Amino acid sequence: MPTAQSILAHTPDIATLEAVTSPVESDVVVVGIAATDADEGAPLVIAHGLDEATVSALAAAADAIGASTTVGSTTRIPAVEGVPGSSVVLVGLGSPDPEATDETLRRAAGAAARACRGLGTALVTLAADRPDAVALGAGLGSFRPAKVTEKDDDENSDADALRILTEGDATGAVARAATIAECVGLARDLVNTPPNLLFPGSFADRAAELATSAGLEVEVLDESALADGGYGGILAVGSGSSRPPRLVRLVHRGGEGRPTVALVGKGVTFDTGGISIKPAAGMEQMTMDMGGAAAVVATVILAARLELDLTVAATVPMAENMPSATAYRPGDVLTMYGGTTVEVQNTDAEGRLILADAIVRACEDSPSHLIDTATLTGAQMVALGKKTPGVMGTDDFRDRVAELSRTVGEGGWPMPLPEELRDGLDSEVADLTHVTPHRWGGMLSAGLFLSEFVAEGVEWAHVDVAGPAYNDGGPEGYLPRGGSGVPVRTMLAVLEDIAAQS
């Protein structure tokens, strides 16, 4: 486990993934169990590569102990004859009719991988014909959050390796899944890093270090460069902290003539609310208010590692929102990057201010598409709950992003930008206010504010992940407690979709 001095250099704790084409001897074997149509009787065992007698014996054993078939439930039993291991992890797949979806396989594989921690090598036999889904779920589920400690910790709490049983050579699919899981793990680790260790300066340094290793172009603007450039939103939000703000630019270059996609992520490393201070209860979770930035950093690195043939330009504003004698105030008028003036209504609506600066800068790259993502509004959770991102933007691209998000299991849902809410952003003393005078439709009015800064002709989507970026409950499926890595997989799917259609 990392110390306080090493946590930012920590490599995500993900089990090794291997593709195998036969049931090799392992310490533990993972098999699926599904409910049957009958009210009683043994569950259906899904165990590719095992013979009929072994499958029947496993079904009888599962029935005898009443093992749950609920998706992601796990039960460990001694191995029966014919199993190439000393124990078996039974994992629920729900109902076999219709066939398990990719998301069901990801969730089941993730739960099984977590159950295999510390057991040595594990053979996963859930779906040999869909190694991409099984391997990705297993990789994501094997993640262990980093813990800051000065104690020696030699415990091996993850499986040495997760062996994914496949039909034919699936080495490439499993390797790709491992790369995605590692980058999602990077986003999770950044979100989970305590705010006294992850602040704008250290976050910028770590992002630059990771990006350089991945072969990206890197630019970091410090507070002086931000002042020279006129980044009024980022400077205002960071003005109350002793740790000044940053703007990080990371670029992956595709081939000549390929499209450019801009990514923007909110990087508020800790959010007290500023002068409009938050209630004390739950404020400790505001260490995750840079979840959008973490996801964007991880995604542009992932684009480079997967060698996507398009240009991905990430613009990541980073600030700490603190109350002090130098903090910005409700009633202030800010001049944003690009010249728009904004009347501040509430300093706890800070995310949209730093995003606005970054969006204008990102549009200077003339992207065809722009995605911004942020833990932006509590209204997202009121409207959609803690697991469903709200997606706003230009209609066609918004719907495209939301559909792809649901396909990969991150659940994005398209939301409107109602014209009747726009009048609430009018100001008597500036071009705009950043908060409407009423409480209704808060997620949507935030989206409307951001839309004012998107250049004409750019296809745009805003993804609000206030709830989905952080799991404050127990682990489930492939999700750990803490940072989730949402929406890295959504943004990857969109980038690949744009690349394929260009």
Side-chain angles (χ1 to χ4, degrees), residues 91-460:
V91 61
L93 291 172
S95 171
D97 189 19
E99 185 181 28
T101 65
D102 283 354
E103 178 62 7
T104 295
L105 289 174
R106 286 189 290 260
R107 289 169 56 195
R114 189 167 52 252
C116 289
R117 288 175 181 161
L119 301 182
T121 54
L123 176 68
V124 184
T125 69
L126 297 180
D129 59 338
R130 285 185 279 173
D132 48 352
V134 175
L136 181 55
L140 293 171
S142 72
F143 170 84
R144 181 173 63 150
K147 180 178 180 179
V148 183
T149 179
E150 298 293 334
K151 298 178 181 179
D152 292 333
D153 184 2
D154 296 327
E155 179 185 3
N156 176 20
S157 59
D158 285 330
D160 296 327
L162 297 173
R163 296 165 170 169
I164 312 301
L165 186 63
T166 70
E167 293 178 350
D169 183 8
T171 302
V174 172
R176 169 186 158 84
T179 300
I180 295 171
E182 288 167 10
C183 288
V184 172
L186 167 63
R188 290 172 173 178
D189 273 341
L190 288 170
V191 169
N192 293 336
T193 302
N196 61 318
L197 304 177
L198 187 80
F199 47 88
S202 65
F203 191 5
D205 290 345
R206 180 56 173 158
E209 179 184 29
L210 290 165
T212 299
S213 296
L216 302 178
E217 299 172 18
V218 178
E219 179 186 18
V220 178
L221 302 185
D222 63 13
E223 65 273 28
S224 297
L226 290 169
D228 291 343
Y231 291 88
I234 300 172
L235 288 166
V237 173
S239 63
S241 174
S242 62
R243 299 187 282 199
R246 296 286 186 270
L247 181 69
V248 175
R249 298 256 306 153
L250 310 175
V251 182
H252 161 68
R253 293 286 176 193
E256 185 176 354
R258 299 295 292 160
T260 294
V261 179
L263 303 179
V264 175
K266 173 187 171 184
V268 175
T269 58
F270 192 77
D271 183 20
T272 66
I275 297 297
S276 308
I277 197 164
K278 293 177 178 291
M283 193 190 290
E284 72 282 354
Q285 291 189 9
M286 287 299 99
T287 183
M288 49 74 71
D289 212 17
M290 35 60 66
V296 163
V297 169
T299 300
V300 69
I301 291 171
L302 182 55
R305 291 187 61 182
L306 294 178
E307 299 181 343
L308 301 190
D309 190 15
L310 76 172
T311 293
V312 183
T315 305
V316 187
M318 301 173 177
E320 186 177 57
N321 189 24
M322 301 288 284
S324 75
T326 59
Y328 78 125
R329 297 155 292 253
D332 284 357
V333 172
L334 311 178
T335 300
M336 312 296 287
Y337 183 74
T340 300
T341 58
V342 173
E343 179 187 2
V344 176
Q345 297 289 329
N346 185 323
T347 64
D348 194 24
E350 81 299 330
R352 65 199 72 181
L353 294 175
I354 69 172
L355 288 175
D357 276 356
I359 287 170
V360 174
R361 174 62 187 90
C363 287
E364 291 180 349
D365 296 324
S366 300
S368 58
H369 301 77
L370 186 152
I371 305 172
D372 79 82
T373 186
T375 51
L376 202 64
T377 66
Q380 176 271 319
M381 291 181 279
V382 173
L384 295 172
K386 290 189 173 183
K387 295 182 180 178
T388 302
V391 185
M392 290 146 276
T394 52
D395 290 351
D396 290 344
F397 189 48
R398 172 203 63 197
D399 293 347
R400 186 176 174 188
V401 171
E403 181 179 3
L404 288 167
S405 180
R406 293 193 298 277
T407 298
V408 301
E410 290 189 335
W413 198 256
M415 300 295 288
L417 294 175
E419 292 184 9
E420 66 270 17
L421 294 179
R422 172 58 186 80
D423 289 347
L425 296 175
D426 290 336
S427 170
E428 295 183 357
V429 298
D431 297 322
L432 297 168
T433 69
H434 77 312
V435 177
T436 55
H438 51 74
R439 60 180 293 192
W440 312 117
M443 174 175 59
L444 312 182
S445 62
L448 282 166
F449 176 81
L450 294 177
S451 73
E452 297 285 329
F453 298 88
V454 179
E456 186 175 354
V458 176
E459 294 293 312
W460 164 66

